[in-house]
Amino acid sequence: MYDVVIIGAGVTGSAIARELSRYQYKTIVLDKNSDVCEGTSKANSGIVHAGFDNEPGSVMAKMNVRGNAMMEQLSKDLDFSFKRNGSLVLCFDEKDMDKLEHLLEKGKKNGVPGIRIISKEEVKKMEPNVTDDMVAALYAPSGGIVCPFGLTIAMAENACENGVEFQLNTEVVHITTKDGGYVLETSKGTFESRIVINAAGVYADKFHNMVSDEKITIIPRKGEYCLMDKKVGDYVSSTIFQLPTIYGKGVLITPTVHGNLLTGPTAVDIEDKENTQTTADGLADLLKRVAVSVPAVPTRQIITSFTGLRAHWTEHEFIIKEVDGAPGFIDVAGIESPGLSSSPAIGEYVAELVQGIYPMEKKADFKAERKGIPNVAEASFAERQELIKKNPAYANVVCRCEVVTEGEIMDAIHRPLGATTLDGIKRRTRAGMGRCQSGFCAPKTVEILARELGKDVSEITKSGEGSNYLTGYNKEDI
């Protein structure tokens, strides 16, 4: 019997788990995937939105601005990459200046600090590569960028260190009520809990509809992205938006915290909640649309493309509340953009809801800080020497593109919630994220995973069951 079961180990579920780990709850996180951060959270823009485009008074607006304000201190406490690089919303026609003014007013009402409209000349001084065919921009200095993997994994690891259980490869298939609580039938057995938190992303409607007569529908909104090499990572320094449409904030172009250049997403509503395929038409449309903001996007430097699915509710609002008629069942649904930015605030708010339903004392030994994996590529010479003294594996470079060492990969495996797959290593260390996209380092990474996990290399997967790195392999033939 658990006090709290959280369905979903994405950025929202991990944030909630961390906040609940401050209290003496017996909490478990269930996720059908092989690792945390394998759904929507792994495929997004990594933008910490300032909060100027959400409707004043909405849950989105409140969570966005609060989450943005929390992010800097959280990055220091949990040791993940975050930077306030500021954001610009470009206006291309004098006739649309009223829309820019409207965004400004919304931002002020939402409490966005330092927001203002700047002239074309000011924009060009800040961003020389932006199009000449714009007349002004909304500037929000509090806008930022973050590593979505780093944020999610940091919060999940910290929750784990503070006693939260994580059971992965565990799909929830049915939920029923029992004695004032809930029974969750899963692919790995049955779990009982007083409180259930539904943070299941695009599948949140499925679980909500199991316990409520008032049905909801979550629509997967597909967005395609292109990632460019670090050679052009400084092509823009701010996050560049276009005036928003009914489909969201539109196509953006931004640097990443790791020095790449990213553009996306498109926005297409689909039915298949597992369709993360990129398409030639989608990527062509993306590059055509981003050229409106930055005409000479260095497309020859694209090293990969990917697709994410946003959990869009038809009302375009976050659903964060106890479900009517289902005491102790808390929806955290419709968490699309600015969900990543809002996640720390959502975690804080949901913990307050849980406290209101089933109060519990705070832990005296809660660990608020967490130390990440050493980054050899960014370490000083003295720091590298110290790491190598402790473990000579830090001298063995495995991923040449990103300068990731065997020591870092070993650390990623043996941490709380350690990596068990190639993608798990990639998200924790960046091995395989460089120019060659793991063409050089993947075989060695597979060897290290097998060795450190005590498995045969044939058992190592890219991202869980059915994605084995080696097929048709028989070790007796070697």
Side-chain angles (χ1 to χ4, degrees):
M1 183 70 181
Y2 287 88
D3 297 317
V4 183
V5 168
I6 301 170
I7 306 173
V11 69
T12 305
S14 297
I16 295 166
R18 180 180 186 260
E19 287 299 323
L20 288 178
S21 73
R22 298 177 184 274
Y23 301 91
Q24 296 175 4
Y25 294 111
K26 184 179 181 183
T27 303
I28 188 168
V29 181
L30 305 177
D31 197 289
K32 69 175 183 176
N33 293 306
S34 63
D35 199 358
V36 301
C37 197
E38 279 202 356
T40 297
S41 303
K42 78 172 187 297
N44 61 65
S45 310
I47 304 302
V48 179
H49 294 283
F52 48 76
D53 56 345
N54 304 307
E55 287 302 315
S58 66
V59 180
M60 272 187 175
K62 294 173 184 175
M63 294 296 113
N64 188 168
V65 174
R66 172 63 181 155
N68 178 294
M70 295 173 69
M71 198 67 72
E72 190 162 357
Q73 185 58 50
L74 189 65
S75 71
K76 294 173 182 176
D77 291 342
L78 300 184
D79 196 20
F80 60 84
S81 299
F82 167 71
K83 180 182 179 182
R84 290 203 188 280
N85 66 320
S87 59
L88 291 166
V89 182
L90 302 184
C91 178
F92 303 100
D93 194 322
E94 291 286 355
K95 295 177 182 177
D96 290 329
M97 282 298 294
D98 59 331
K99 297 177 182 177
L100 209 63
E101 293 280 358
H102 182 57
L103 274 184
L104 174 65
E105 289 308 309
K106 285 205 293 186
K108 288 180 176 179
K109 288 179 181 177
N110 289 341
V112 177
I115 190 169
R116 65 185 189 273
I117 291 176
I118 61 176
S119 67
K120 175 179 179 176
E121 290 71 28
E122 289 176 281
V123 175
K124 291 294 288 185
K125 190 173 181 180
M126 292 172 63
E127 300 291 349
N129 290 318
V130 163
T131 179
D132 291 332
D133 297 329
M134 56 87 189
V135 296
L138 182 70
Y139 175 53
S142 63
I145 49 178
V146 70
C147 174
F149 324 123
L151 169 62
T152 306
I153 291 166
M155 292 192 294
E157 281 188 0
N158 189 235
C160 184
E161 287 182 307
N162 282 298
V164 174
E165 298 176 42
F166 283 75
Q167 184 151 327
L168 305 171
N169 296 304
T170 304
E171 183 175 5
V172 178
V173 295
H174 195 57
I175 303 173
T176 54
T177 57
K178 178 184 176 182
D179 300 331
Y182 294 89
V183 177
L184 291 82
E185 297 173 30
T186 79
S187 58
K188 295 289 181 68
T190 300
F191 297 81
E192 294 186 24
S193 181
R194 292 180 176 87
I195 293 172
V196 174
I197 297 172
N198 174 21
V202 294
Y203 288 98
D205 54 350
K206 172 184 173 182
F207 301 118
H208 168 95
N209 294 341
M210 288 179 183
V211 302
S212 177
D213 293 331
E214 186 179 335
K215 307 305 181 185
I216 64 171
T217 299
I218 300 297
I219 301 167
R221 180 163 283 177
K222 182 177 179 180
E224 300 184 48
Y225 293 86
C226 288
L227 183 73
M228 284 159 257
D229 192 82
K230 290 181 177 180
K231 291 179 181 178
V232 293
D234 60 355
Y235 202 71
V236 296
S237 58
S238 310
T239 300
I240 312 295
F241 295 101
Q242 300 166 2
L243 274 171
T245 70
I246 58 170
Y247 289 103
K249 300 176 181 67
V251 170
L252 61 85
I253 185 165
T254 184
T256 72
V257 288
H258 297 296
N260 297 90
L261 186 68
L262 177 71
T263 186
T266 54
V268 179
D269 291 346
I270 61 174
E271 294 183 4
D272 185 356
K273 299 191 179 193
E274 297 293 328
N275 180 1
T276 56
Q277 297 176 338
T278 55
T279 64
D281 288 345
L283 296 174
D285 178 53
L286 164 61
L287 294 176
K288 180 180 178 181
R289 290 167 63 191
V290 75
V292 174
S293 298
V294 182
V297 176
T299 55
R300 290 177 64 86
Q301 297 298 329
I302 292 172
I303 59 175
T304 191
S305 58
F306 61 92
T307 292
L309 299 179
R310 285 163 275 174
H312 175 66
W313 183 40
T314 50
E315 301 296 321
H316 189 57
E317 172 65 302
F318 293 162
I319 307 172
I320 310 176
K321 63 178 182 178
E322 187 177 17
V323 174
D324 293 339
F329 191 98
I330 299 173
D331 271 340
V332 188
I335 310 300
E336 58 180 321
S337 179
L340 186 78
S341 317
S342 304
S343 58
I346 292 173
E348 184 180 64
Y349 181 65
V350 173
E352 291 174 4
L353 291 180
V354 174
Q355 276 283 289
I357 297 167
Y358 186 58
M360 192 70 74
E361 293 291 322
K362 280 193 171 184
K363 293 175 181 174
D365 59 348
F366 173 75
K367 300 173 185 175
E369 297 181 353
R370 163 261 192 196
K371 187 66 179 171
I373 297 168
N375 187 328
V376 171
E378 295 182 2
S380 67
F381 179 78
E383 289 169 334
R384 292 183 191 186
Q385 292 300 105
E386 191 61 32
L387 285 169
I388 293 167
K389 282 182 184 178
K390 292 178 181 177
N391 182 356
Y394 282 105
N396 181 18
V397 175
V398 174
C399 173
R400 294 180 180 177
C401 297
E402 294 290 323
V403 193
V404 179
T405 66
E406 183 177 2
E408 290 162 88
I409 294 172
M410 291 168 63
D411 191 343
I413 295 168
H414 295 295
R415 298 176 71 77
L417 292 176
T420 60
T421 65
L422 271 171
D423 280 357
I425 294 294
K426 179 171 70 174
R427 286 192 285 270
R428 287 165 176 81
T429 68
R430 293 188 58 78
M433 282 196 178
R435 183 86 193 182
C436 83
Q437 288 291 290
S438 81
F440 175 82
C441 62
K444 182 62 178 177
T445 304
V446 168
E447 287 183 22
I448 298 169
L449 275 163
R451 182 191 73 207
E452 297 299 313
L453 295 173
K455 294 182 176 182
D456 188 79
V457 290
S458 63
E459 299 176 82
I460 302 303
T461 66
K462 181 181 185 295
S463 58
E465 186 177 351
S467 63
N468 295 66
Y469 183 74
L470 297 175
T471 59
Y473 162 80
N474 185 347
K475 65 180 179 180
E476 294 178 358
D477 293 338
I478 297 178

